[in-house]
Amino acid sequence: MEEYIVSARKYRPMSFDSVVGQKALTTTLKNAVKSGKLAHAYLFCGPRGVGKTTCARIFAKAINCQNPTAEGEACNECESCQSFNEQRSLNIFELDAASNNSVEHIKTLMEQTRIPPQVGKYKVFIIDEVHMLSTAAFNAFLKTLEEPPAHVIFILATTEKHKILPTILSRCQIYDFERMTVQNTIEHLKEVAQKEGIKYEEEALAVIAEKADGGMRDALSIFDQAASFCQGNITYQKVLEDLNVLDSENYFRIVDLSIENKVSEVMVLLNDVLNKGFDGGLLVQGLAKHVRNVLMAKDPQTLPLLEVSEQARQRYTEQAQRADTRFLYSALRVMNQCDINYRQSSNKRLLVELTLIEIAQITQPADAPGSGLRPRRLKSLFKQLIQQARPKQTAPQVAVAAPKNHTQSKADAQSAQAQQPAKKVTLKTSSLGLSWNKLKPQNRKMEILPGTPGVEDKREQEFEEFTQDDLALQWLSMCNRMPQKLIGIATRMKNMTPVILEIPALEVVVPNEIVKDEMELIKGSIVSTLRKYLHNNAITLTIRVAEKQEREVILTRKQQFLKMVDDNPAVGRLCELFDLVLT
């Protein structure tokens, strides 16, 4: 039986032209080979599976090719190319920095750079995952990297460029690899499927490409997995089942149902999705991505931003024509808030349900039955009641003399109707079951707060008794509610303890004159607050600076220790037992 090789290795590019999705970069490298203008160090950066190591190998082979083509490709016929293809080349070295990241490994590498190549022009050292080198190894590598021997070229590859020292970056030509687009991945998977004799549906390949998230190696690995599961016929439904991916049809249905305000059907659909084992948070994330794509599909300028297949792009465009832009904005805002709160929520399913209910009611009028949106305002309520109670106006009966003719009759009737005064429609609030006396208590929140200069306090006078504990509680609550601009004095006031001299007289002792002056500025607000929450309008407050004997004495460390020994004799015996001395 022939040995099986995974597609990521079997179909690994062997030339610059076969590299997918890196056209500008490969063109630059080919031009460098053609012109012979080669740098001594290169740095290939980019996400996983986009061809960094592959391009490094192709570039290393082309550099040492004895008969390169006119396009800058390796000939694959000379001894250097043959030895590289058979993995016996002595001029190209690959080093994994993840497992060879110490200073000793770098010193060993430096010793190998002294030996000139046996076949070809250059010795090429490919260091993969170079960001894994230790700081000491980077420093040991600096000098050789800056001025290597004339026959040495370094090609460094990394997925995390930000972890590399700036001194290393400044010594290299940097090439940034791009993520694979969904369309490029689909086209490459089609070629692989045709070579392998595997049937496929384009929608299934699109799911694989989206799952790969821009990495060709990941896409080929998922392709092999799907081909094994589907037994040579890759279909959309089987790929969804194999990869445990939520069908995008659910997202299209949720948006359509939300536009029509069908909350119940959205809840049933959510229940079906959760029963299949999918997480509610992933559903919200997927729906947010879907709504974002619909929003991008509304404008032809943003349509190229959709990384989906052509068939899916057409469906997004159709749904974008039915969805209002404000609905999409609001839905994205609601789902973003759900994503933020999802991890902290103790009832995650309820959070997802409330989110979908809110989305499904975005386009529903606020006064519709069961909308669950903003409550109806009092003014609009009265307006509706008045309209309902207003009597229907009937046409007034006007006595007109017998007309001489039809035209005269019509003119006289209009004149008589115009001369009759219009009846005034009066409505008493008592007919609505309401009165101004009943409405007054409901408007208490609009009363002017106590303590306002020039305004008499018309509230009922209250003189309730209160305890020291009640005073301490309301004092602390008041300090916690004080605005941000008073945070300094509020913090000081938390450490104060107001006392009841004789109800309703209060006194608070402050440490110095500065604090007293600050509190005097807001004394009116403090008294008004205490009167309101302690239900006593006669409360007065005196602010006094502490006397010398009342001030807290700050003890030295020795005094603190001696006080602790006096309070706890066991501490003194412990010091004597272990011969401890306070330093």
Side-chain angles (χ1 to χ4, degrees):
M1 183 177 179
E2 186 179 355
E3 182 182 1
Y4 174 73
I5 303 176
V6 296
S7 298
R9 291 180 55 197
K10 185 176 182 180
Y11 295 100
R12 193 167 199 165
M14 300 298 294
S15 63
F16 287 122
D17 290 337
S18 59
V19 176
V20 180
Q22 310 296 341
K23 182 69 174 177
L25 191 145
T26 53
T27 301
T28 304
L29 295 178
K30 286 195 295 184
N31 291 338
V33 174
K34 285 192 298 183
S35 62
K37 297 178 180 179
L38 302 174
H40 62 276
Y42 296 86
L43 177 62
F44 291 172
C45 314
R48 67 183 190 280
V50 295
K52 299 185 296 297
T53 306
T54 297
C55 285
R57 292 177 178 177
I58 297 173
F59 188 43
K61 181 172 72 171
I63 288 173
N64 277 323
C65 179
Q66 298 174 352
N67 302 304
T69 63
E71 291 78 18
E73 297 275 10
C75 66
N76 286 319
E77 296 177 357
C78 65
E79 175 59 26
S80 177
C81 294
Q82 291 285 345
S83 62
F84 176 83
N85 293 337
E86 297 172 5
Q87 298 182 359
R88 56 181 178 84
S89 176
L90 299 177
N91 295 338
I92 300 174
F93 298 88
E94 288 194 39
L95 178 68
D96 180 22
S99 55
N100 301 277
N101 55 7
S102 65
V103 177
E104 289 72 17
H105 292 121
I106 294 298
K107 289 182 177 179
T108 303
L109 179 67
M110 298 303 99
E111 292 176 358
Q112 294 179 1
T113 61
R114 301 175 184 176
I115 305 173
Q118 303 299 316
V119 179
K121 302 178 182 178
Y122 300 97
K123 264 195 169 183
V124 183
F125 293 87
I126 302 174
I127 305 178
D128 206 1
E129 302 298 336
V130 70
H131 66 273
M132 298 292 287
L133 288 177
S134 64
T135 304
F138 269 130
N139 293 330
F141 188 35
L142 278 176
K143 189 61 178 177
T144 304
L145 184 65
E146 182 177 14
E147 297 179 357
H151 58 270
V152 172
I153 292 179
F154 291 104
I155 303 178
L156 315 180
T158 180
T159 56
E160 302 182 39
K161 182 174 68 172
H162 61 278
K163 290 186 178 181
I164 300 178
L165 297 179
T167 50
I168 295 290
L169 296 176
S170 64
R171 289 166 168 80
C172 303
Q173 280 191 11
I174 301 176
Y175 291 80
D176 290 307
F177 284 68
E178 300 177 358
R179 292 174 63 254
M180 299 292 170
T181 63
V182 172
Q183 199 59 41
N184 285 340
T185 305
I186 292 174
E187 295 299 327
H188 188 64
L189 292 179
K190 286 181 180 179
E191 296 178 4
V192 174
Q194 292 173 358
K195 293 178 182 178
E196 292 291 324
I198 297 176
K199 298 180 181 180
Y200 60 87
E201 292 180 0
E202 187 167 347
E203 291 183 358
L205 298 184
V207 173
I208 295 174
E210 292 177 10
K211 185 78 173 179
D213 193 25
M216 186 61 73
R217 182 173 60 239
D218 292 356
L220 291 172
S221 299
I222 298 173
F223 175 82
D224 288 344
Q225 176 183 339
S228 177
F229 178 78
C230 300
Q231 293 294 313
N233 185 14
I234 302 178
T235 62
Y236 178 72
Q237 292 298 331
K238 288 185 178 180
V239 168
L240 294 180
E241 181 182 353
D242 182 38
L243 302 181
N244 195 30
V245 176
L246 187 60
D247 190 356
S248 61
E249 183 65 28
N250 293 291
Y251 302 137
F252 283 102
R253 287 188 59 197
I254 290 176
V255 172
D256 287 336
L257 293 174
S258 299
I259 294 174
E260 299 173 5
N261 309 129
K262 296 181 179 179
V263 179
S264 301
E265 297 184 24
V266 172
M267 291 296 100
V268 173
L269 178 57
L270 171 64
N271 185 66
D272 293 340
V273 170
L274 296 179
N275 288 339
K276 292 178 183 178
F278 292 100
D279 181 66
L282 295 178
L283 171 65
V284 173
Q285 293 175 9
L287 182 60
K289 182 179 179 181
H290 174 86
V291 173
R292 175 261 180 193
N293 288 343
V294 175
L295 186 62
M296 294 298 105
K298 291 189 73 68
D299 192 336
Q301 293 182 351
T302 56
L303 192 60
L305 298 179
L306 299 184
E307 294 187 356
V308 294
S309 62
E310 287 297 332
Q311 186 175 359
R313 184 174 299 183
Q314 181 64 29
R315 290 202 62 186
Y316 279 120
T317 305
E318 293 174 358
Q319 190 170 71
Q321 296 174 355
R322 300 191 300 270
D324 184 66
T325 304
R326 289 174 293 181
F327 163 76
L328 298 176
Y329 283 145
S330 301
L332 284 175
R333 189 180 300 109
V334 172
M335 287 184 286
N336 181 60
Q337 192 62 37
C338 175
D339 189 34
I340 294 173
N341 299 330
Y342 189 78
R343 290 186 179 180
Q344 290 78 21
S345 175
S346 58
N347 193 341
K348 302 184 185 303
R349 173 166 182 159
L350 178 61
L351 177 62
V352 175
E353 288 176 343
L354 291 175
T355 300
L356 294 182
I357 290 173
E358 189 172 353
I359 293 173
Q361 293 181 339
I362 290 175
T363 59
Q364 189 169 351
D367 56 351
S371 65
L373 298 180
R374 297 182 300 274
R376 298 160 68 187
R377 293 179 297 177
L378 190 63
K379 181 178 179 181
S380 62
L381 176 62
F382 278 144
K383 185 177 181 180
Q384 293 181 8
L385 290 175
I386 292 172
Q387 290 176 350
Q388 292 173 6
R390 178 174 295 172
K392 296 182 179 179
Q393 297 183 10
T394 58
Q397 302 294 328
V398 181
V400 182
K404 298 179 181 179
N405 53 50
H406 179 72
T407 306
Q408 182 71 23
S409 173
K410 185 175 181 181
D412 293 344
Q414 291 177 351
S415 175
Q417 185 174 0
Q419 293 176 1
Q420 182 173 353
K423 293 184 178 180
K424 295 184 178 179
V425 180
T426 59
L427 177 66
K428 297 182 179 180
T429 56
S430 58
S431 65
L432 304 178
L434 301 172
S435 65
W436 293 115
N437 292 330
K438 291 182 180 179
L439 289 175
K440 281 183 179 179
Q442 300 177 13
N443 295 330
R444 274 191 156 184
K445 291 184 178 179
M446 296 189 295
E447 291 182 0
I448 300 175
L449 295 177
T452 304
V455 178
E456 182 182 356
D457 190 359
K458 297 182 180 180
R459 297 186 309 163
E460 297 180 0
Q461 296 296 318
E462 297 177 314
F463 301 99
E464 294 185 9
E465 297 285 334
F466 55 90
T467 64
Q468 181 67 38
D469 291 339
D470 295 335
L471 174 60
L473 176 61
Q474 296 303 332
W475 182 271
L476 183 60
S477 301
M478 175 185 64
C479 295
N480 291 331
R481 292 194 303 269
M482 291 176 69
Q484 185 69 27
K485 63 181 181 180
L486 300 177
I487 189 66
I489 189 62
T491 304
R492 292 174 177 267
M493 289 172 59
K494 288 180 182 179
N495 298 324
M496 302 175 188
T497 305
V499 295
I500 303 174
L501 298 178
E502 183 179 355
I503 293 180
L506 309 180
E507 183 186 61
V508 62
V509 180
V510 298
N512 52 58
E513 290 288 345
I514 298 177
V515 178
K516 180 183 177 183
D517 293 340
E518 291 183 4
M519 291 186 62
E520 288 289 351
L521 295 175
I522 59 174
K523 180 179 177 180
S525 300
I526 296 174
V527 173
S528 298
T529 304
L530 294 177
R531 287 178 178 178
K532 177 179 178 181
Y533 289 97
L534 292 175
H535 306 288
N536 193 315
N537 294 335
I539 288 178
T540 60
L541 179 65
T542 302
I543 304 174
R544 178 174 61 85
V545 179
E547 299 293 339
K548 186 174 182 180
Q549 62 274 12
E550 293 178 317
R551 296 176 184 174
E552 184 179 357
V553 180
I554 301 176
L555 302 178
T556 63
R557 296 182 62 184
K558 185 174 182 179
Q559 291 173 334
Q560 292 175 359
F561 175 73
L562 295 176
K563 186 176 183 302
M564 184 170 57
V565 172
D566 291 340
D567 296 339
N568 301 281
V571 177
R573 292 195 297 270
L574 182 65
C575 293
E576 295 176 359
L577 180 62
F578 289 97
D579 196 18
L580 299 178
V581 179
L582 180 65
T583 59

